[in-house]
Amino acid sequence: MARQVSTGRKTVATAAAWLIALIIFFPILYTIITSFKTEPEAIAGVSLIPSGTFENYVEVQAQRDYFKPFLNSVVISLGSTLIALLISVPAAWSMAFSPTRRTRDILMWMLSTKMMPAVGVLVPMYLIFRDTGLLDTRLGLTIVLTLVNLPIVVWMLYTYFREIPGEILEAARMDGASTLKEIVYVLTPMAVPGIASTMLLNIILAWNESFWTIRLAAANAAPLTAFIASFSSPQGLFWAKLSAASTLAIAPILIMGWFSQKQLVRGLTFGAVK
């Protein structure tokens, strides 16, 4: 029987949740508000009342072509996500349903790679990309973002696959299903929520990645993170224009996150509640 919760307690919990959400979202909200201010208004001080001008967006588009880095971000994010899934699904399947003595060690080793500072391998990565012709290319950024996010993708899929009863896969084997058919026709449909949330999270991580994209791309393959950084000049920071560029960069991922929030929550809590 479910425990009864008083109306007052619900009200307090709801108010606390809204307060926390507002604190988390406030930097994004203030960036959007600042993008509609003039430069003098932006540097004058904190104010939540914009002048309603669109001149920053006009100047941003006039100085830099928004659509080229936007297309680069789409290609790099989707490309790295698809490659990561193609690698991670079989890897997570093997570790979830055919574990060995070293499975746990391999998982911990993969996770430990996320603890290493990226700057520690910047120079060798830059030299490798330069010598192989991958510098400032979409393919190069797609490869590096795949490698950066691969441990997280494998870990998430491994967690989801562990919740699927192994007897179902054994029944498919008894019916003559090969390993490939078992993964494609049995395992994948059952893990759609987990795969979808993993895919969405990987897209968000790849879209927001700035360390590698700024350092391994210059003009041809520069995504929206480099687009934002280009508005930081030696003459100073133009906060209104920088806010407009940031708003244009985060708008697509905010919209995607808003419409896919149910899938994200369902996938991220998959198997957590019995």
Side-chain angles (χ1 to χ4, degrees):
M1 182 176 179
R3 185 176 61 180
Q4 294 293 331
V5 180
S6 65
T7 304
R9 194 169 182 178
K10 287 182 180 179
T11 303
V12 172
T14 302
W18 275 104
L19 179 61
I20 294 171
L22 182 60
I23 293 173
I24 295 173
F25 185 71
F26 182 77
I28 299 175
L29 176 63
Y30 192 72
T31 299
I32 297 173
I33 292 174
T34 305
S35 69
F36 293 101
K37 296 179 180 180
T38 62
E39 287 296 343
E41 290 175 338
I43 63 176
V46 178
S47 174
L48 298 178
I49 303 176
S51 59
T53 179
F54 288 88
E55 65 178 15
N56 296 312
Y57 291 93
V58 175
E59 292 186 22
V60 164
Q61 180 59 27
Q63 293 179 23
R64 304 281 192 278
D65 182 16
Y66 169 78
F67 296 101
K68 183 177 180 181
F70 171 76
L71 181 61
N72 289 337
S73 289
V74 171
V75 172
I76 294 167
S77 300
L78 293 180
S80 63
T81 300
L82 291 177
I83 296 175
L85 286 177
L86 289 175
I87 298 173
S88 300
V89 170
W93 169 86
S94 64
M95 287 187 282
F97 300 107
S98 298
T100 65
R101 291 186 306 166
R102 299 297 181 184
T103 295
R104 183 63 61 175
D105 296 334
I106 293 174
L107 285 169
M108 292 304 300
W109 171 77
M110 294 180 66
L111 191 62
S112 68
T113 61
K114 297 295 296 179
M115 305 175 189
M116 180 180 64
V119 69
V121 293
L122 175 59
V123 174
M125 286 292 291
Y126 184 89
L127 296 177
I128 292 172
F129 272 56
R130 183 197 64 183
D131 295 340
T132 56
L134 293 175
L135 201 62
D136 196 21
T137 63
R138 291 177 180 173
L139 177 60
L141 290 181
T142 300
I143 293 173
V144 75
L145 292 184
T146 299
L147 297 176
V148 166
N149 296 324
L150 192 60
I152 296 177
V153 178
V154 172
W155 258 96
M156 289 185 67
L157 291 180
Y158 169 78
T159 303
Y160 300 139
F161 290 173
R162 289 278 293 178
E163 299 297 326
I164 297 176
E167 292 78 7
I168 297 177
L169 301 182
E170 292 178 2
R173 295 191 200 109
M174 293 179 63
D175 290 338
S178 62
T179 302
L180 180 60
K181 289 183 178 180
E182 177 184 327
I183 296 175
V184 174
Y185 296 110
V186 181
L187 179 65
T188 303
M190 295 183 64
V192 166
I195 294 175
S197 64
T198 302
M199 181 179 68
L200 291 171
L201 181 62
N202 191 81
I203 291 174
I204 293 172
L205 292 174
W207 190 281
N208 294 331
E209 174 63 41
S210 60
F211 180 85
W212 292 109
T213 54
I214 292 175
R215 286 157 181 81
L216 298 180
N220 296 327
L224 286 173
T225 48
F227 172 78
I228 297 173
S230 67
F231 286 90
S232 175
S233 64
Q235 290 75 26
L237 294 175
F238 298 92
W239 294 110
K241 296 182 182 64
L242 190 60
S243 297
S246 300
T247 301
L248 288 172
I250 65 177
I253 209 70
L254 280 177
I255 295 172
M256 187 193 76
W258 177 264
F259 285 105
S260 60
Q261 56 183 315
K262 290 184 178 180
Q263 288 77 11
L264 274 172
V265 172
R266 182 184 177 191
L268 292 174
T269 56
F270 184 73
V273 181
K274 298 294 184 182

